Amino acid sequence: MKISVVGTGYVGLVTGACFSDAGHEVLCIDNDPKKIDLLHKGVMPIYEPGLDEIVARNVKAGRLKFSTSIAEGTAFAEVIFIAVGTPPGVGGEANMTYVEQVGRQVAEHMTSYRLLVEKSTVPAKTSEYLKRTVLKYLREDTDFDVASNPEFLREGTAIEDATHPDRIVVGVESQRAGDLLEEIYRPILKKGGGQFLRMSVTSAELTKHASNSFLAMKISYINAVARICELAGADVQQVAKGMGLDPRIGPRFLSAGVGYGGSCFPKDVDAFVRLADALGHDFKLLKEVQQINKTQREYVMKKIKQELWVVQDKTIAIFGLAFKPETDDVREAPSLYFVPKLQEMKAKLRAWDPVGEGKFKEIHPELECVQDLYECAKDADLVLILTEWDAVRKIDLKKLKEVMACPVIVDGRNIFNPEEIRALGFTYHSVGRN
Ligand code: UDX
Ligand code: UDX
């Protein structure tokens, strides 16, 4: 089948590349000519493991093409996925400008039936606005559908998630729209397994909010438990293990740390709270999830302050800027909280991240970054771990101790064993463990 995907970011490009790998003919569109130029040259505009190979393979096979033109995309395929960004705008609400623009432009160029599919994380009820937009700008009297097909891709493992989905949720208003989407996903589900679920558009939109908010709640829950563990003299990792072996709870998303970040959880929880408010329900549970996440960063900051006493002029080495490993994405990353706060306190900062440096420096060009962990930690009074990169897990601790001015680690990701690391002579603070 022919498919157009608008937006070649983390979601759009992975989705388009995986559709083409499943045998479909895909045109990926982006209004940023620089990104399309890079893609024509075989360079990925984002870092996602394995993506470059899939793109190269399908471009070579002639199944994957790129363009800046929505007109071309509208003419090319009956089904058009919308995966443009929906960043938080003024006041925190998702900025829907780009989604609206895409809807309008598709409407202006549509001459026969088209199915517009929301793939971006959007507030529930977006489909109604999208439908209104299309109706307003439609030039020819033609039929169309709007569907919701939320993505559940995790950055860093997006290819695996896209090719082996647990479920494909589609919200549709017509048999035709549902059948088209089922045909698109058939080869992926046949190969990778997973269930195809048809439901109403609003239910599909809510499934996304409810799933991501639940996962965020799991993280905030374990972070709250971590604080109790510290007070009670327990170890949160042992508690999480004990809980997670119950299949009704499950072991995943029970890692305590500096709290969740990224482009989805903070935005999705916020959108769910706002939606509930608008519908007249005060979603207090999720407000608490947000509050715990916010104060979790402050909680780790307190450990730094208590340890250093005077923060001014202390050298702090930051290990990890990305919001999680295997991505260069820094949206809502804990580093964006710690760096300015520590700068305010006049600490001397030096940071390391294998791929997140570029995007972080777009926001904080002044931050000194180095590409070697030991150089980063040289003469440091404290190492702050914010992302559990493999290179950090595997660091030579003896060598680290030698280069530091003072062997102190504040570990926001609980990656070392407290007893072992203390036996090597480190002062070690982590989350929910004594
Ligand atoms: C996705 C979803 O779209 C977003 O709603 C969700 O919260 C996170 O995941 P992502 O792919 O990560 O976003 O965003 P980004 O990497 O910013 O990609 C969006 C792309 O759309 C960019 O390449 C941008 O250039 C493009 N774009 C934006 C358009 O092509 N047209 C526009 O009008 C606006
Ligand atoms: C998330 C969802 O998992 C995915 O289904 C959705 O489509 C997009 O949003 P992503 O944001 O890429 O994916 O990353 P994820 O692996 O879910 O991690 C989100 C944040 O939670 C990260 O900052 C991570 O460090 C944090 N986290 C995760 C924890 O603090 N503890 C955990 O146990 C798990």
Side-chain angles (χ1 to χ4, degrees), residues 51-98:
L51 182 61
D52 44 359
E53 286 154 45
I54 297 195
V55 168
R57 182 162 69 232
N58 288 286
V59 165
K60 199 167 163 214
R63 283 191 298 265
L64 181 59
K65 297 203 167 75
F66 305 102
S67 166
T68 51
S69 160
I70 295 223
E72 198 185 325
T74 311
F76 179 77
E78 200 175 10
V79 186
I80 301 158
F81 282 82
I82 304 178
V84 293
T86 49
V90 199
E93 270 172 63
N95 178 350
M96 301 307 290
T97 318
Y98 308 125

Side-chain angles (χ1 to χ4, degrees), residues 83-147:
V84 293
T86 49
V90 199
E93 270 172 63
N95 178 350
M96 301 307 290
T97 318
Y98 308 125
V99 174
E100 187 195 35
Q101 270 169 19
V102 175
R104 176 179 175 159
Q105 287 173 27
V106 169
E108 286 170 351
H109 294 103
M110 229 159 85
T111 53
S112 58
Y113 175 85
R114 289 294 176 269
L115 169 61
L116 280 85
V117 188
E118 301 164 3
K119 195 75 180 162
S120 303
T121 309
V122 293
K125 301 281 178 196
T126 296
S127 68
E128 285 175 20
Y129 288 102
L130 195 56
K131 219 156 67 183
R132 245 169 48 184
T133 306
V134 175
L135 277 173
K136 259 197 225 166
Y137 296 101
L138 207 57
R139 288 185 184 154
E140 312 249 340
D141 184 21
T142 156
D143 228 9
F144 72 93
D145 270 308
V146 169

Side-chain angles (χ1 to χ4, degrees), residues 295-356:
T295 50
Q296 197 67 9
R297 284 153 169 62
E298 295 162 8
Y299 179 68
V300 173
M301 181 60 94
K302 212 163 127 196
K303 290 176 189 275
I304 299 174
K305 284 197 214 156
Q306 271 172 355
E307 173 59 43
L308 290 180
W309 180 35
V310 176
V311 177
Q312 182 164 350
D313 291 330
K314 296 276 165 57
T315 300
I316 299 179
I318 298 177
F319 287 0
L321 297 169
F323 82 97
K324 66 176 207 177
E326 299 304 329
T327 183
D328 59 346
D329 198 347
V330 300
R331 285 177 286 184
E332 304 286 332
S335 55
L336 288 172
Y337 163 83
F338 284 96
V339 167
K341 280 267 182 271
L342 291 168
Q343 281 171 340
E344 259 170 47
M345 289 182 256
K346 300 201 167 39
K348 294 180 193 154
L349 302 182
R350 203 184 296 128
W352 168 94
D353 193 290
V355 290

Side-chain angles (χ1 to χ4, degrees), residues 254-269:
L254 284 181
S255 300
V258 271
Y260 58 79
S263 70
C264 276
F265 284 177
K267 198 167 71 177
D268 260 4
V269 176

Side-chain angles (χ1 to χ4, degrees), residues 151-155 253-255 260-261 264 323-324 413:
E151 51 84 17
F152 299 105
L153 312 179
R154 287 161 304 165
E155 287 175 29
F253 281 74
L254 284 181
S255 300
Y260 58 79
C264 276
F323 82 97
K324 66 176 207 177
R413 296 295 182 177

Side-chain angles (χ1 to χ4, degrees), residues 383-394:
V383 161
L384 170 63
I385 300 174
L386 293 182
T387 320
E388 64 278 34
W389 282 100
D390 232 22
V392 181
R393 287 184 194 279
K394 291 182 183 149

Side-chain angles (χ1 to χ4, degrees), residues 32-260:
D32 183 346
K34 277 187 265 153
K35 286 194 180 164
I36 295 300
D37 265 359
L38 286 175
L39 286 163
H40 278 140
K41 288 180 190 139
V43 181
M44 297 302 104
I46 52 155
Y47 175 77
E48 182 62 42
L51 182 61
D52 44 359
E53 286 154 45
I54 297 195
V55 168
R57 182 162 69 232
N58 288 286
V59 165
K60 199 167 163 214
R63 283 191 298 265
L64 181 59
K65 297 203 167 75
F66 305 102
S67 166
T68 51
S69 160
I70 295 223
E72 198 185 325
T74 311
F76 179 77
E78 200 175 10
V79 186
I80 301 158
F81 282 82
I82 304 178
V84 293
T86 49
V90 199
E93 270 172 63
N95 178 350
M96 301 307 290
T97 318
Y98 308 125
V99 174
E100 187 195 35
Q101 270 169 19
V102 175
R104 176 179 175 159
Q105 287 173 27
V106 169
E108 286 170 351
H109 294 103
M110 229 159 85
T111 53
S112 58
Y113 175 85
R114 289 294 176 269
L115 169 61
L116 280 85
V117 188
E118 301 164 3
K119 195 75 180 162
S120 303
T121 309
V122 293
K125 301 281 178 196
T126 296
S127 68
E128 285 175 20
Y129 288 102
L130 195 56
K131 219 156 67 183
R132 245 169 48 184
T133 306
V134 175
L135 277 173
K136 259 197 225 166
Y137 296 101
L138 207 57
R139 288 185 184 154
E140 312 249 340
D141 184 21
T142 156
D143 228 9
F144 72 93
D145 270 308
V146 169
S148 162
N149 171 216
E151 51 84 17
F152 299 105
L153 312 179
R154 287 161 304 165
E155 287 175 29
T157 53
I159 305 283
E160 171 66 19
D161 293 345
T163 49
H164 297 86
D166 315 308
R167 78 292 204 199
I168 298 295
V169 171
V170 303
V172 287
E173 283 179 337
S174 76
Q175 185 71 27
R176 183 178 189 176
D179 292 349
L180 278 169
L181 285 166
E182 195 160 351
E183 200 180 325
I184 288 177
Y185 280 106
R186 189 169 298 125
I188 293 176
L189 294 173
K190 198 170 161 210
K191 215 169 147 194
Q195 275 198 44
F196 187 83
L197 292 179
R198 255 185 226 215
M199 55 181 80
S200 75
V201 178
T202 309
S203 299
E205 289 173 333
L206 267 187
T207 302
K208 167 83 183 196
H209 287 312
S211 302
N212 274 358
S213 299
F214 186 85
L215 293 169
M217 180 180 76
K218 229 178 151 183
I219 299 169
S220 277
Y221 181 78
I222 201 68
N223 280 334
V225 170
R227 294 193 214 173
I228 309 289
C229 283
E230 247 177 80
L231 293 170
D235 178 327
V236 71
Q237 280 182 324
Q238 291 177 14
V239 174
K241 194 166 180 194
M243 289 167 62
L245 286 173
D246 181 334
R248 292 171 301 176
I249 298 174
R252 296 162 75 187
F253 281 74
L254 284 181
S255 300
V258 271
Y260 58 79

